[in-house]
Amino acid sequence: MAVYRYNYFPDIHEGFDILRKRVLIERVDRPKAPVAFAYKKIKTDIVWCLLDSGADDIILNNEFAVFLKIDLSKSPEFETQVVGGGSIKVKRHPMDVIFEKRKLSLMADFSDTHPFPILGRVFFKCFESINFRQPEKTTELVLPSKSN
């Protein structure tokens, strides 16, 4: 079990080389989780990602694909809906998400227009439970035992 405090999301990226962009979104405490992304033998440092219970998928900026040397040229491209009723073009590709030393093999959507990393319900399905505790401004993530 891991418990993380909510934080102002724009502050999360400070100190990470992979995303130098500053994200200007509403200054509201948001749930986040630290993960690393990996593909083949390349792995990122820990990246704090927005936990979005309303998102279906993992959405990452194309900079992650470049860093991980993921070739998106043969990945299917499609449009996906984003908050506010808009849509963005993404390319889907498999990769590993590492949380608390556990490797989760998942599909991720990559976009050149999405500025910050989102972990949606495809990530949530890997957990026994995820509890958002608004009064305490914490999120509790519980992985299933390894014997399951």
Side-chain angles (χ1 to χ4, degrees):
M1 175 179 65
V3 178
Y4 301 99
R5 294 201 57 78
Y6 288 15
N7 196 354
Y8 292 122
F9 198 75
D11 299 337
I12 290 171
H13 291 290
E14 291 178 10
F16 293 105
D17 290 336
I18 196 160
L19 285 178
R20 288 269 183 220
K21 298 173 183 150
R22 291 293 182 253
V23 179
L24 299 176
I25 57 177
E26 184 181 352
R27 300 253 331 159
V28 175
D29 288 332
R30 298 184 189 278
K32 61 187 180 359
V35 300
F37 299 108
Y39 182 69
K40 296 188 177 178
K41 295 184 179 194
I42 303 171
K43 185 175 103 172
T44 68
D45 290 332
I46 295 295
V47 177
W48 287 93
C49 300
L50 179 67
L51 291 170
D52 188 346
S53 62
D56 292 331
D57 301 307
I58 295 170
I59 303 178
L60 302 173
N61 189 278
N62 281 350
E63 290 181 27
F64 284 96
V66 171
F67 180 84
L68 295 168
K69 298 193 182 334
I70 295 173
D71 180 7
L72 295 175
S73 66
K74 294 181 182 170
S75 295
E77 182 176 79
F78 58 94
E79 287 196 6
T80 189
Q81 299 293 325
V82 293
V83 71
S87 64
I88 59 171
K89 288 184 180 181
V90 297
K91 289 195 168 196
R92 184 163 287 173
H93 199 280
M95 63 180 295
D96 293 324
V97 178
I98 301 164
F99 176 80
E100 296 285 317
K101 299 182 182 175
R102 184 94 57 102
K103 182 168 46 170
L104 311 169
S105 295
L106 301 169
M107 298 297 281
D109 294 343
F110 295 90
S111 170
D112 60 355
T113 60
H114 202 272
F116 53 90
I118 288 180
L119 300 174
R121 300 193 70 77
V122 71
F123 175 76
F124 288 26
K125 290 178 185 179
C126 300
F127 291 83
E128 186 175 302
S129 66
I130 296 180
N131 299 303
F132 296 94
R133 295 200 169 96
Q134 190 61 37
E136 297 88 5
K137 295 185 178 180
T138 61
T139 306
E140 176 188 76
L141 295 99
V142 180
L143 284 163
S145 63
K146 288 187 179 186
S147 62
N148 289 351

